[in-house]
Amino acid sequence: MTEQDTFRVKAGLAERLKGGVIMDVTTPEQAKIAEEAGAVAVMALERVPADIRAAGGVARMADPDVILRIMDAVTIPVMAKARIGHFAEAQILEALGIDFIDESEVLTPADEEFHINKHLFKVPFVCGARNLGEALRRIGEGAAMIRTKGEAGTGNVVEAVRHIRMVMSEIRKLQNTPDEELMTFAKNIAAPYDLVVEVKRLGRLPVVNFAAGGIATPADAALMMQLGCDGIFVGSGIFKSQDPIARARAIVGATRHYDDPQILAELSKGLGEAMPGLEIASLAERMQERGW
Amino acid sequence: MRIGILGLQGAVREHRLSLQACGLLPENIITVKKPGELDDLQGLVIPGGESTTLGLLMTKYGFLEPIREKARQGMGILGTCAGMVLLAGKINGHRQPTLGLLEMEIVRNGFGRQIESFETELFLPDIDTHPGGTKPFPAVFIRAPYGINPGPRVQVLAALGEKIVLARQGKLLACAFHPELTADYRLHRYFLSLIAESHDE
């Protein structure tokens, strides 16, 4: 008996990415740089979040031509973003043979009420979450991987910290909640009951949970790993910095040696300017508020 | 018995839980992040991860020669998925650093991209000599490699058609699927028995 699109096969790919860094790239050349720096996967985009934020307007799925050229350039898995609720974009990405789809708030949502029914796809999905309820709703819809939403394109880690701290503290609270209170716990965070029970049993999410949205330095990556993330997405942080190759390598190293300050100190030296950061209060639009 | 898990990237926690389920004490399972930590190990697990990334990092952090040396001294190695790629010498169509210990060619991503990934059941009679027949082993293949052209010292333990998915060469065990992602610990137990045997010799 052979089955293709089981949840174990989808979530298993995410397990293999653990301890790794996934980098946003817009060209095959950038994809090669990311691969050579030790990225475990790349996210193929037309524009990095910082540019999407600056450009304004409607941000959509990337041109399939860009995605295919990036897929040809590297042997590591390639991810791409679809708009929240835009299942037709997701179908197109699946037809291209992409390895993972990010149903992402970085793009302009196509549906303000419903996310994609991710169970219907063979390709695994990653989704953003700010708290345990949101994470479990996405997993309930079939997401095989979760990431913090953070605030993409800002180079400011504060929102990603808020989101991982929230998820971890809710899990700790859940572990101390007696079984008879779990239905009410599920109701209060608007999460599927069965998943709440599973998280209590496991003491963690049933899928891997990466950091995303504002990571710009090796120290940021180490911070997020120490707070309990399984790996790191870096969006604008690499190719909007002064020396992308050095920074990409340093963030890969910091994700591995997140608990060794001596190595982190070494890795953080002489990287040139990080991407210019943005204060969250100054933002016209907070991408993290897209989706529910 | 002390077993290490190469902790550069990949499914490290799952291998640790599988080894614990086989009765190994947590303090005897070492997450290896530096070559020096290989010193007093009898066995090493190279987990599933991305083989390109793992190969790069093993080179960068100077793991290749120390692991080869330990293998020559008799350390057992279980390589799953990317670990199977890294154990081998010749990789079909890719130039990447590997350990070159396993005498078998590897076809990387041999079954295709992620949407072609699958799970199936394998019968492993050489591993499970349970009386009254064997129970199928759940095998999760994710962007998996397979082996071809095994050398004379390689014992093929499972294949899908012509594609070798489980092979042993002395105390090296190469596995194209992910035994750490299922709650069936026979393969980990078999690996530990290979090490225990050689211990007695």
Side-chain angles (χ1 to χ4, degrees), chain B:
Chain B
M1 188 190 295
R2 278 163 71 85
I3 305 292
I5 305 169
L6 191 64
L8 294 175
Q9 187 263 312
V12 177
R13 178 182 65 203
E14 287 67 26
H15 274 296
R16 172 175 284 277
L17 295 174
S18 299
L19 290 170
Q20 278 176 237
C22 295
L24 226 57
L25 295 173
E27 60 266 34
N28 289 331
I29 307 171
I30 319 298
T31 302
V32 177
K33 289 193 176 189
K34 295 173 190 160
E37 291 162 342
L38 293 165
D39 286 349
D40 54 349
L41 300 179
Q42 283 84 50
L44 178 70
V45 178
I46 305 180
E50 287 305 318
S51 58
T52 307
T53 311
L54 278 169
L56 263 166
L57 295 171
M58 283 169 78
T59 310
K60 186 175 165 194
Y61 295 118
F63 272 104
L64 291 174
E65 199 41 50
I67 292 177
R68 285 184 196 123
E69 181 52 35
K70 284 288 294 181
R72 279 193 284 271
Q73 292 168 10
M75 180 179 73
I77 305 178
L78 166 63
T80 62
C81 197
M84 180 188 203
V85 177
L86 293 163
L87 273 177
K90 200 169 168 198
I91 313 298
N92 215 312
H94 293 281
R95 278 198 0 252
Q96 73 166 86
T98 63
L99 292 163
L101 295 167
L102 180 71
E103 294 160 6
M104 184 166 76
E105 270 179 62
I106 297 290
V107 181
R108 272 193 50 179
N109 296 349
F111 297 94
R113 298 191 76 97
Q114 173 61 15
I115 51 174
E116 276 95 33
S117 294
F118 61 97
E119 62 179 272
T120 189
E121 291 182 330
L122 294 174
F123 286 91
L124 308 174
D126 296 303
I127 286 180
D128 185 8
T129 49
H130 200 263
T134 57
K135 201 171 73 173
F137 192 94
V140 185
F141 289 83
I142 299 169
R143 287 168 52 91
Y146 62 81
I148 50 171
N149 301 331
R153 296 203 293 152
V154 174
Q155 183 191 0
V156 175
L157 298 172
L160 293 171
E162 300 289 296
K163 300 170 178 174
I164 299 166
V165 296
L166 182 66
R168 176 194 167 186
Q169 176 186 318
K171 274 166 281 166
L172 306 177
L173 191 59
C175 179
F177 49 94
H178 287 274
E180 76 280 13
L181 295 184
T182 53
D184 187 323
Y185 308 113
R186 283 174 289 171
L187 209 63
H188 285 86
R189 223 171 275 137
Y190 177 71
F191 174 59
L192 296 179
S193 76
L194 293 182
I195 295 170
E197 269 172 33
S198 59
H199 233 36
D200 301 336
E201 279 164 15

Side-chain angles (χ1 to χ4, degrees), chain A residues 65-109:
Chain A
D65 190 49
V66 172
I67 295 170
L68 287 170
R69 283 192 295 128
I70 289 169
M71 283 167 65
D72 281 341
V74 292
T75 63
I76 52 178
V78 178
M79 304 184 168
K81 289 186 195 290
R83 284 182 261 177
I84 290 173
H86 206 317
F87 53 84
E89 283 188 350
Q91 289 161 355
I92 290 168
L93 292 173
E94 182 171 76
L96 295 175
I98 202 87
D99 296 302
F100 232 108
I101 296 176
D102 183 6
E103 186 182 18
S104 176
E105 69 280 3
V106 169
L107 305 183
T108 309

